[in-house]
Amino acid sequence: MLLTELLHPGMLEALAGAGHGSRVLLADGHYPAATATGDRARTVHLNLTPGLLDVTTVLDVLLRTVPVESAHVMVPPEGEPEPPAVAEYRSRLEPVPVETLGRFAFYDAARSPDLALTVVTADIRTYANLLLTIGVRAEGTLT
């Protein structure tokens, strides 16, 4: 039995094979995961029904599982307000830098060969996509 709270076999396998600089995409329910992800990435579908499992819930578990060194969020066109999901991610990820990308730049970043894992959620919020870059474990830490 594992001691981590993350028990999903596909996610654990992908994260175990990922290293420093690998990326993890947490996609909302609107994201075109079939066409806007890296060819090497493992895709895990957690979208059982609209609204049940959101990106924030998955993020909270991942933050207790892997070190994160940076993040990118998808934002609407210039002049539109920042989506509430983005503010929520900034708060949870602090002090990790969170950079913004427009929709198509975000898709391009998610198609990177460094993408190790895509988690498709049923998050119904718009612009609730998050691209994490895995960091390094602090020296001397076991958990």
Side-chain angles (χ1 to χ4, degrees), residues 17-36:
H20 181 223
S22 294
R23 291 181 165 184
V24 175
L25 170 63
L26 304 182
D28 66 25
H30 311 285
Y31 194 86
T35 59

Side-chain angles (χ1 to χ4, degrees), residues 31-64:
Y31 194 86
T35 59
T37 59
D39 293 335
R40 300 177 188 172
R42 168 82 179 246
T43 300
V44 171
H45 294 273
L46 299 180
N47 51 340
L48 178 64
T49 188
L52 181 65
L53 201 62
D54 64 13
V55 170
T56 303
T57 302
V58 177
L59 173 62
D60 288 343
V61 173
L62 286 180
L63 288 175
R64 294 186 294 270

Side-chain angles (χ1 to χ4, degrees), residues 21 29 72 121:
H72 288 84
T121 72

Side-chain angles (χ1 to χ4, degrees), residues 64-88:
R64 294 186 294 270
T65 306
V66 295
V68 175
E69 76 176 18
S70 65
H72 288 84
V73 291
M74 181 189 290
V75 293
E78 192 171 323
E80 292 186 32
E82 183 174 86
V86 172
E88 185 176 272

